[in-house]
Amino acid sequence: MKTQEMQIIFDKIKEYDRIIIFRHFRPDGDAIGSTKGLQRILKLTYPEKEIYIQNCDSSDYLAFLGGEDEPIADELYADALAIVIDTGDTKRVSNQKFSLCREVAVIDHHIQTSPYGDYRWVIEEKSSSCEMIAEFYDAFRDELKIDTEAATYIYTGMVTDSGRFRFRSVSGETLRLAGVMLDLGVDTDRLYAELYLEEYDYLKFKAYVYENMKMTENGVAYIYVDRAMQERFSLTQEKASAVVSCLDSIRGSIIWLAFIDNDDGTTRVRLRSRFVTVNELAERYHGGGHDCAAGATVYSPDEMAALLSEADALIKEYKENNEGWL
Ligand code: AMP
């Protein structure tokens, strides 16, 4: 459905000759898919416009989606429209130069702790920012051009951010829009191979994780990937962080966490849950996020223990007051 917010952003896209697209740091499939998907659509539709993606970090895991643009001169920002996608607050934007742009449009599905930007199309209930880019395309399909490449970027983000269309944020509309993308010729055999195939050594690491994971009294499953473990298995930060998904299918463990040591001595926490929500817990530990997928940072072993005990108390309370959880 075409909304006023979408129309305003579309009008801004038409107005500007130069558009620079941004995403959050530590990109996931949705951040990369949505930005590259929108860039491709805009390049196809407006070959005369300059459309850049400018970020300061990258992702090995998503290298199959191809790279982003080389840095452009700072002067080029001043008369450009910034479109920041999939990023809930300004601190998380990968390239802070987005603020040099004349105007900033935001397209996002994260819970907004501190809203920013001149024009905002934000729907927290959407399963992914890629779903929103698909919806944007669909709403203006009489004017916008798309191809298999753009559809593949967008479909990849829809698939990855929704847990393969599994999370509760997935609606009939999500699937309809995924269908629109699929029909543009997405090669799903190749895509799922890219997403699922793992190196032999990484499987060895996973075996280690299952040997060493722990469980609190009421069912918080967790693993601590300290520096030693990262070195022993030659893990990048990204690979180490992916470990949280190893713990996602334990019956009765409705919250699961991974603690991953950062290079700077702090510890990143990735929180996941089903039924019960964890974003408020994450907010109490310098973080935030979605109901059932959030991130935080702890600065000491004491803080780590405190977070774990709060997570345990959350499960206890939930299990005492609710039925039907699995
Ligand atoms: P992650 O475990 O890093 O993938 O985080 C899951 C979700 O939580 C992401 O989609 C982010 O929106 C959010 N998130 C992660 N870390 C933070 C943070 N430090 N502050 C606010 N939100 C965060």
Side-chain angles (χ1 to χ4, degrees), residues 92 110 268 270 272 286-290 293-295:
R92 284 176 59 78
H110 289 101
R268 176 181 182 191
R270 304 191 80 195
R272 299 290 184 270
H286 326 282
H290 306 280

